[in-house]
Structures are given as C-alpha cells and as structure tokens.
Amino acid sequence: QSIKVLPKEMIEFIDKIHSHFSHPQRQAYLNKVQIEKTLPRLGLQNYIPTRWLSLGLSLTRLVEIWESLSEYMRRKPGFTGLDDDDYSYFSDYLDSNLNNLQIRFLSGIINKMNEFNIKFQNQSMEIQSLKIEIRKLIKTFSSYILPPQILPKDLTTLTNEEDWQKAEFYNDKLISPEDFISQAITDIDINL
C-alpha cells in the first residue's frame, strides 16, 4: 500500500529500468560499460512487486550502479525496439540530482523497514520481545519527523487522531526541514 503513495514517475522509472535490463544483451552491454569505466561490475537486482524485500535490494543496487546506468543510456546502444526517445527518457531521469536523491532516500527508508520486517518474521522471535521491537520501530521512524522530546514514554498517547488532522499540530510538533535532512544524512545515507 505504501508504494502507491510514491511519485508515479519514480515507480514508472523503476519498472522501466528493470524491464529494460531483463534482456541478456543489454546486461552484457552494461557490463562492457562498467569494465571500460572501471565501475563495479554489477547488474540490477530482480524487483518483484509482490515481494516487499526485493524492492529494497533492487533500489540499493540501482543506487550502486547509477553512474554506469547513466553512461549506458548516454551511449544509446542500438537495441531493437528502442529509439532515441527511450534513451532520452532514461538519461534525463538518471541525470537529475533530485531523482537520485529521491531514490537514495527511498532505498534507505525501505531498507530500514526491511530490517524490522525481517525481525518480525523471524521464527525465533519471542513474544516478550515483540513490544520492545515495536517500540524501536516507532522510535526509529518517528525520529525522522518528530523531535525526541515530543515522543511520549507511553506511545499509545501518540495516536490522538484529531490532533493529526489539524495543520497547526504539524507546525508545532514536527522537526524543521533542516533537522529532517540532517537526520536523513546521519541515519539513512551520508550522500543525501
């Protein structure tokens, strides 16, 4: 469900780039570019929309090979079924610093979520650890938007829905954009 609120362009790009490299010839050409430019020889990770963990792995790899993907698209290898507009679409997306930052941020957030996802799915997790882990999850993600002093000891008091519907609540309670960026750089990706 959370994927549905992401910018449509980002999801389209992720789908299209994975679809583009589903052909072995294109993967081989990407490898050639990586060798020539002495960049890491890595391909994209499989992204399967119904497998939540695959998106995090896929985005991490996308960030790792961003430079080689950009170079590949600039070269416009003449594969059947692709024209200059297709390569321009990919090049424009990959050359945008904003798009790179959005993908980096999304990758970091999803990987944080996946860490908790793996913990909660672990068969050896004991019931008495559940409350502690849920509290860690809430504290981790709330730290990106709330100052530490706002987070109550009793997390159930944080759910007053009426407050969250008022615009002034956000002005009084949320961290500043600068603090948000600082928190993201420290905790998610130093390159943000």
Side-chain angles (χ1 to χ4, degrees):
Q1 290 299 316
S2 60
I3 295 298
K4 292 177 182 175
V5 301
L6 294 174
K8 183 181 171 188
E9 300 82 29
M10 183 189 296
I11 297 303
E12 282 179 10
F13 170 76
I14 293 167
D15 288 339
K16 286 181 179 181
I17 197 87
H18 283 86
S19 176
H20 178 83
F21 286 103
S22 63
H23 302 272
Q25 301 88 346
R26 296 172 188 175
Q27 292 173 18
Y29 193 88
L30 177 62
N31 254 346
K32 179 182 168 189
V33 168
Q34 291 168 336
I35 291 167
E36 287 174 15
K37 292 287 192 176
T38 61
L39 295 167
R41 286 185 59 196
L42 301 167
L44 287 170
Q45 291 276 57
N46 273 346
Y47 165 53
I48 304 162
T50 57
R51 303 244 182 227
W52 177 252
L53 296 178
S54 79
L55 180 59
L57 296 171
S58 164
L59 291 175
T60 298
R61 181 60 59 84
L62 186 58
V63 167
E64 289 174 335
I65 64 172
W66 194 274
E67 186 180 343
S68 58
L69 291 172
S70 186
E71 178 63 27
Y72 170 101
M73 295 304 172
R74 276 194 292 274
R75 291 184 183 191
K76 299 180 181 180
F79 292 112
T80 308
L82 293 168
D83 57 26
D84 282 351
D85 288 343
D86 295 319
Y87 289 113
S88 292
Y89 163 77
F90 284 122
S91 287
D92 290 347
Y93 197 93
L94 290 162
D95 289 342
S96 165
N97 286 335
L98 178 60
N99 292 335
N100 181 280
L101 290 173
Q102 286 178 335
I103 296 279
R104 279 182 184 279
F105 182 77
L106 179 63
S107 172
I109 288 291
I110 287 178
N111 285 325
K112 289 265 180 216
M113 291 175 73
N114 284 349
E115 288 174 23
F116 284 102
N117 193 353
I118 290 166
K119 281 182 186 178
F120 290 131
Q121 291 184 37
N122 190 334
Q123 296 295 320
S124 65
M125 183 179 207
E126 296 181 10
I127 194 72
Q128 63 268 25
S129 303
L130 187 60
K131 188 173 182 179
I132 294 168
E133 292 302 324
I134 290 171
R135 188 170 176 77
K136 281 185 198 173
L137 175 127
I138 293 169
K139 280 188 160 197
T140 297
F141 288 101
S142 67
S143 71
Y144 299 121
I145 58 169
L146 297 173
Q149 65 274 17
I150 294 292
L151 198 62
K153 275 204 177 283
D154 180 6
L155 294 175
T156 59
T157 62
L158 194 61
T159 61
N160 185 350
E161 197 171 320
E162 288 175 17
D163 285 344
W164 291 94
Q165 301 301 322
K166 299 174 190 169
E168 62 272 9
F169 178 80
Y170 291 98
N171 296 335
D172 294 340
K173 306 289 189 215
L174 300 182
I175 63 174
S176 70
E178 295 79 18
D179 288 343
F180 171 78
I181 291 168
S182 176
Q183 181 72 17
I185 290 169
T186 304
D187 200 41
I188 297 173
D189 186 337
I190 197 159
N191 295 309
L192 288 171

